[in-house]
Amino acid sequence: MTSEITLFVNPTAGSGRGARAAQPAASALRDAGFSVRTILGEDADDALRRAREAVALGTGALIAVGGDGMMSLALQAVAGTPTPLGAVAVGTGNDFARALGLPVRDPAAAGRLAGEALKAGTTRAIDLGRVGERWFGSVLASGFDSRVNDRGNRMRWVGGRFKYDLAILAELAAFRPIPYSVRLDGGPVTEIEATLIAVGNGTTYGGGMGTHLGHPKVTVHRVSSIELASAGVTAYADGEPLGALPLRATCVPGAVRVLAP
């Protein structure tokens, strides 16, 4: 494995934590004996282009610095390739890192862990979700949660997590159950009404929620594919807009190798 690795940084993640986190993470990796190259990108498309270029040129690892959105962007570059993915989680939710048992909002510790895994040559293969050509590592959201995202993204006058708290209150005031058509693993179509349908690839959701599965109003199915349809509902994958329903999501086993314990 090459000794040069790539830090893939979102400088605006977590109200600026992404930019601040890059330096201690890079220092920890250099202390482990690696040469570190940092890429930013002028926007998401440019950043992804640069990340894919680094992977194509044979970087030893792509280490994403940011939140779940940045991890998702990095997945688009490394999924299906032998290049391992590391995570320096300093965003708002950090569900991808939590599910892997990685440090959250501790960039130096995350950098040390990634460096140790690279030196030992140990990586872990994990499954990913996929919709068309788009990969996701944590959750595909549709329903109440995606409507909160829609509203929060329209709130230009307030920033950070607070705008989503406001969006939750606004959506609760107007919310009605959503009619869905659902097909699991190619079986019969079921018509249901639900608050939301979340397609999870990990163990936490919405910034660390992990105990909601036991609630009597929550139904859980373990499947390899799901088809969802509902009028006027947008889907979000790892917090990023995916598009309007209908869609088909599938689980792809061992789609990416990660630097994790």
Side-chain angles (χ1 to χ4, degrees), residues 147-249:
R147 288 181 175 175
V148 168
N149 267 321
D150 285 341
R151 185 179 290 269
N153 290 339
R154 293 194 298 267
M155 291 181 175
R156 304 298 183 186
W157 50 274
V158 63
R161 185 65 180 255
F162 182 61
K163 71 177 179 180
Y164 294 103
D165 294 337
L166 292 176
I168 287 171
L169 293 175
E171 287 298 324
L172 280 172
F175 185 76
R176 297 292 183 274
I178 298 169
Y180 284 94
S181 296
V182 183
R183 187 194 300 269
L184 304 178
D185 283 338
V189 174
T190 302
E191 306 291 338
I192 64 170
E193 286 193 339
T195 300
L196 61 87
I197 294 179
V199 183
N201 185 58
T203 56
T204 70
Y205 183 29
M209 289 191 297
T211 60
H212 57 287
L213 298 183
H215 193 283
K217 294 294 185 181
V218 175
T219 302
V220 180
H221 302 275
R222 184 182 292 269
V223 298
S224 59
S225 70
I226 181 171
E227 297 170 50
L228 295 175
S230 185
V233 176
T234 303
Y236 282 74
D238 295 337
E240 300 300 311
L242 185 61
L245 300 185
L247 61 75
R248 180 175 186 267

Side-chain angles (χ1 to χ4, degrees), residues 6-245:
T6 303
L7 274 187
F8 187 39
V9 181
N10 178 1
T12 64
S15 300
R17 281 192 297 266
R20 296 191 297 272
Q23 184 173 350
S27 294
L29 289 162
R30 290 188 180 104
D31 288 345
F34 293 95
S35 172
V36 179
R37 174 182 175 231
T38 300
I39 56 175
L40 297 171
E42 296 178 2
D43 53 32
D45 289 340
D46 183 53
L48 179 55
R49 180 189 63 78
R50 292 170 186 259
R52 283 176 167 158
E53 183 179 73
V55 170
L57 290 174
T59 186
L62 186 71
I63 301 179
V65 183
D68 286 325
M70 195 62 175
M71 305 306 157
S72 181
L73 196 62
L75 287 175
Q76 313 314 309
V78 299
T81 79
T83 303
L85 173 67
V88 178
V90 291
T92 302
N94 304 309
D95 285 313
F96 185 75
R98 292 178 200 276
L100 293 174
L102 296 174
V104 171
R105 299 195 182 116
D106 189 343
R112 286 194 298 271
L113 187 150
E116 290 166 3
L118 283 166
K119 287 176 72 173
T122 56
T123 59
R124 189 205 310 178
I126 65 168
D127 302 345
L128 293 178
R130 192 170 191 179
V131 177
E133 297 301 311
R134 177 80 170 270
W135 301 93
F136 65 95
S138 297
V139 174
L140 185 154
S142 74
F144 177 78
D145 45 3
S146 63
R147 288 181 175 175
V148 168
N149 267 321
D150 285 341
R151 185 179 290 269
N153 290 339
R154 293 194 298 267
M155 291 181 175
R156 304 298 183 186
W157 50 274
V158 63
R161 185 65 180 255
F162 182 61
K163 71 177 179 180
Y164 294 103
D165 294 337
L166 292 176
I168 287 171
L169 293 175
E171 287 298 324
L172 280 172
F175 185 76
R176 297 292 183 274
I178 298 169
Y180 284 94
S181 296
V182 183
R183 187 194 300 269
L184 304 178
D185 283 338
V189 174
T190 302
E191 306 291 338
I192 64 170
E193 286 193 339
T195 300
L196 61 87
I197 294 179
V199 183
N201 185 58
T203 56
T204 70
Y205 183 29
M209 289 191 297
T211 60
H212 57 287
L213 298 183
H215 193 283
K217 294 294 185 181
V218 175
T219 302
V220 180
H221 302 275
R222 184 182 292 269
V223 298
S224 59
S225 70
I226 181 171
E227 297 170 50
L228 295 175
S230 185
V233 176
T234 303
Y236 282 74
D238 295 337
E240 300 300 311
L242 185 61
L245 300 185

